[in-house]
PDB file of all heavy atoms in Angstrom:
ATOM      1  N   GLN A 154      -9.660  25.400 -20.411  1.00 97.00           N
ATOM      2  CA  GLN A 154      -9.964  25.923 -19.074  1.00 97.00           C
ATOM      3  C   GLN A 154     -11.417  25.611 -18.698  1.00 97.00           C
ATOM      4  O   GLN A 154     -11.719  25.282 -17.546  1.00 97.00           O
ATOM      5  CB  GLN A 154      -9.712  27.427 -19.022  1.00 97.00           C
ATOM      6  CG  GLN A 154      -8.255  27.796 -19.115  1.00 97.00           C
ATOM      7  CD  GLN A 154      -8.043  29.298 -19.197  1.00 97.00           C
ATOM      8  OE1 GLN A 154      -8.970  30.097 -19.016  1.00 97.00           O
ATOM      9  NE2 GLN A 154      -6.814  29.697 -19.473  1.00 97.00           N
ATOM     10  N   THR A 155     -12.299  25.701 -19.667  1.00 97.00           N
ATOM     11  CA  THR A 155     -13.705  25.364 -19.436  1.00 97.00           C
ATOM     12  C   THR A 155     -13.843  23.894 -19.065  1.00 97.00           C
ATOM     13  O   THR A 155     -14.595  23.538 -18.148  1.00 97.00           O
ATOM     14  CB  THR A 155     -14.547  25.718 -20.681  1.00 97.00           C
ATOM     15  OG1 THR A 155     -14.455  27.132 -20.908  1.00 97.00           O
ATOM     16  CG2 THR A 155     -16.001  25.321 -20.509  1.00 97.00           C
ATOM     17  N   LEU A 156     -13.100  23.031 -19.752  1.00 97.00           N
ATOM     18  CA  LEU A 156     -13.142  21.599 -19.408  1.00 97.00           C
ATOM     19  C   LEU A 156     -12.635  21.350 -17.991  1.00 97.00           C
ATOM     20  O   LEU A 156     -13.131  20.444 -17.313  1.00 97.00           O
ATOM     21  CB  LEU A 156     -12.336  20.780 -20.414  1.00 97.00           C
ATOM     22  CG  LEU A 156     -13.016  20.537 -21.755  1.00 97.00           C
ATOM     23  CD1 LEU A 156     -12.092  19.752 -22.684  1.00 97.00           C
ATOM     24  CD2 LEU A 156     -14.339  19.816 -21.602  1.00 97.00           C
ATOM     25  N   ASP A 157     -11.669  22.146 -17.524  1.00 97.00           N
ATOM     26  CA  ASP A 157     -11.225  22.025 -16.130  1.00 97.00           C
ATOM     27  C   ASP A 157     -12.386  22.327 -15.185  1.00 97.00           C
ATOM     28  O   ASP A 157     -12.573  21.646 -14.173  1.00 97.00           O
ATOM     29  CB  ASP A 157     -10.075  22.998 -15.838  1.00 97.00           C
ATOM     30  CG  ASP A 157      -8.779  22.635 -16.554  1.00 97.00           C
ATOM     31  OD1 ASP A 157      -8.619  21.478 -17.007  1.00 97.00           O
ATOM     32  OD2 ASP A 157      -7.911  23.530 -16.664  1.00 97.00           O
ATOM     33  N   LYS A 158     -13.179  23.346 -15.516  1.00 98.00           N
ATOM     34  CA  LYS A 158     -14.326  23.704 -14.690  1.00 98.00           C
ATOM     35  C   LYS A 158     -15.404  22.620 -14.756  1.00 98.00           C
ATOM     36  O   LYS A 158     -16.035  22.305 -13.747  1.00 98.00           O
ATOM     37  CB  LYS A 158     -14.876  25.063 -15.116  1.00 98.00           C
ATOM     38  CG  LYS A 158     -13.921  26.220 -14.779  1.00 98.00           C
ATOM     39  CD  LYS A 158     -14.314  27.519 -15.439  1.00 98.00           C
ATOM     40  CE  LYS A 158     -15.588  28.119 -14.928  1.00 98.00           C
ATOM     41  NZ  LYS A 158     -15.864  29.451 -15.528  1.00 98.00           N
ATOM     42  N   ILE A 159     -15.606  22.046 -15.939  1.00 98.00           N
ATOM     43  CA  ILE A 159     -16.569  20.945 -16.070  1.00 98.00           C
ATOM     44  C   ILE A 159     -16.108  19.762 -15.229  1.00 98.00           C
ATOM     45  O   ILE A 159     -16.919  19.108 -14.556  1.00 98.00           O
ATOM     46  CB  ILE A 159     -16.754  20.530 -17.547  1.00 98.00           C
ATOM     47  CG1 ILE A 159     -17.388  21.666 -18.355  1.00 98.00           C
ATOM     48  CG2 ILE A 159     -17.580  19.245 -17.656  1.00 98.00           C
ATOM     49  CD1 ILE A 159     -17.375  21.441 -19.855  1.00 98.00           C
ATOM     50  N   ALA A 160     -14.810  19.482 -15.237  1.00 98.00           N
ATOM     51  CA  ALA A 160     -14.267  18.366 -14.453  1.00 98.00           C
ATOM     52  C   ALA A 160     -14.598  18.534 -12.968  1.00 98.00           C
ATOM     53  O   ALA A 160     -14.937  17.557 -12.288  1.00 98.00           O
ATOM     54  CB  ALA A 160     -12.752  18.246 -14.664  1.00 98.00           C
ATOM     55  N   ALA A 161     -14.524  19.766 -12.466  1.00 97.00           N
ATOM     56  CA  ALA A 161     -14.854  20.015 -11.063  1.00 97.00           C
ATOM     57  C   ALA A 161     -16.334  19.747 -10.798  1.00 97.00           C
ATOM     58  O   ALA A 161     -16.694  19.146  -9.775  1.00 97.00           O
ATOM     59  CB  ALA A 161     -14.486  21.452 -10.687  1.00 97.00           C
ATOM     60  N   VAL A 162     -17.206  20.168 -11.717  1.00 98.00           N
ATOM     61  CA  VAL A 162     -18.644  19.922 -11.573  1.00 98.00           C
ATOM     62  C   VAL A 162     -18.927  18.421 -11.614  1.00 98.00           C
ATOM     63  O   VAL A 162     -19.666  17.893 -10.782  1.00 98.00           O
ATOM     64  CB  VAL A 162     -19.451  20.663 -12.665  1.00 98.00           C
ATOM     65  CG1 VAL A 162     -20.917  20.239 -12.660  1.00 98.00           C
ATOM     66  CG2 VAL A 162     -19.326  22.172 -12.500  1.00 98.00           C
ATOM     67  N   VAL A 163     -18.322  17.731 -12.570  1.00 98.00           N
ATOM     68  CA  VAL A 163     -18.515  16.281 -12.710  1.00 98.00           C
ATOM     69  C   VAL A 163     -18.041  15.550 -11.455  1.00 98.00           C
ATOM     70  O   VAL A 163     -18.720  14.650 -10.949  1.00 98.00           O
ATOM     71  CB  VAL A 163     -17.797  15.759 -13.972  1.00 98.00           C
ATOM     72  CG1 VAL A 163     -17.698  14.240 -13.970  1.00 98.00           C
ATOM     73  CG2 VAL A 163     -18.510  16.242 -15.239  1.00 98.00           C
ATOM     74  N   ALA A 164     -16.887  15.944 -10.923  1.00 97.00           N
ATOM     75  CA  ALA A 164     -16.358  15.294  -9.720  1.00 97.00           C
ATOM     76  C   ALA A 164     -17.327  15.475  -8.547  1.00 97.00           C
ATOM     77  O   ALA A 164     -17.567  14.542  -7.780  1.00 97.00           O
ATOM     78  CB  ALA A 164     -14.987  15.865  -9.376  1.00 97.00           C
ATOM     79  N   GLU A 165     -17.886  16.673  -8.414  1.00 97.00           N
ATOM     80  CA  GLU A 165     -18.836  16.939  -7.345  1.00 97.00           C
ATOM     81  C   GLU A 165     -20.110  16.102  -7.516  1.00 97.00           C
ATOM     82  O   GLU A 165     -20.618  15.525  -6.551  1.00 97.00           O
ATOM     83  CB  GLU A 165     -19.169  18.437  -7.342  1.00 97.00           C
ATOM     84  CG  GLU A 165     -19.879  18.895  -6.101  1.00 97.00           C
ATOM     85  CD  GLU A 165     -20.021  20.406  -6.074  1.00 97.00           C
ATOM     86  OE1 GLU A 165     -19.004  21.107  -6.099  1.00 97.00           O
ATOM     87  OE2 GLU A 165     -21.193  20.874  -6.039  1.00 97.00           O
ATOM     88  N   LEU A 166     -20.603  16.021  -8.743  1.00 97.00           N
ATOM     89  CA  LEU A 166     -21.799  15.211  -9.003  1.00 97.00           C
ATOM     90  C   LEU A 166     -21.528  13.720  -8.751  1.00 97.00           C
ATOM     91  O   LEU A 166     -22.377  13.019  -8.210  1.00 97.00           O
ATOM     92  CB  LEU A 166     -22.275  15.408 -10.443  1.00 97.00           C
ATOM     93  CG  LEU A 166     -22.946  16.743 -10.767  1.00 97.00           C
ATOM     94  CD1 LEU A 166     -23.152  16.877 -12.267  1.00 97.00           C
ATOM     95  CD2 LEU A 166     -24.256  16.855 -10.021  1.00 97.00           C
ATOM     96  N   ALA A 167     -20.354  13.247  -9.160  1.00 95.00           N
ATOM     97  CA  ALA A 167     -20.006  11.833  -8.977  1.00 95.00           C
ATOM     98  C   ALA A 167     -19.872  11.500  -7.488  1.00 95.00           C
ATOM     99  O   ALA A 167     -20.294  10.426  -7.045  1.00 95.00           O
ATOM    100  CB  ALA A 167     -18.709  11.513  -9.712  1.00 95.00           C
ATOM    101  N   GLN A 168     -19.318  12.428  -6.709  1.00 94.00           N
ATOM    102  CA  GLN A 168     -19.147  12.215  -5.277  1.00 94.00           C
ATOM    103  C   GLN A 168     -20.501  12.185  -4.569  1.00 94.00           C
ATOM    104  O   GLN A 168     -20.712  11.413  -3.649  1.00 94.00           O
ATOM    105  CB  GLN A 168     -18.274  13.301  -4.690  1.00 94.00           C
ATOM    106  CG  GLN A 168     -17.856  13.047  -3.265  1.00 94.00           C
ATOM    107  CD  GLN A 168     -16.857  14.068  -2.770  1.00 94.00           C
ATOM    108  OE1 GLN A 168     -16.744  15.173  -3.306  1.00 94.00           O
ATOM    109  NE2 GLN A 168     -16.115  13.717  -1.741  1.00 94.00           N
ATOM    110  N   ALA A 169     -21.442  12.997  -5.048  1.00 92.00           N
ATOM    111  CA  ALA A 169     -22.772  13.075  -4.430  1.00 92.00           C
ATOM    112  C   ALA A 169     -23.639  11.870  -4.757  1.00 92.00           C
ATOM    113  O   ALA A 169     -24.625  11.605  -4.083  1.00 92.00           O
ATOM    114  CB  ALA A 169     -23.469  14.358  -4.888  1.00 92.00           C
TER     115      ALA A 169
END
Side-chain angles (χ1 to χ4, degrees):
Q154 291 174 9
T155 298
L156 283 178
D157 291 342
K158 291 168 68 175
I159 295 169
V162 171
V163 167
E165 194 173 300
L166 287 171
Q168 189 173 21

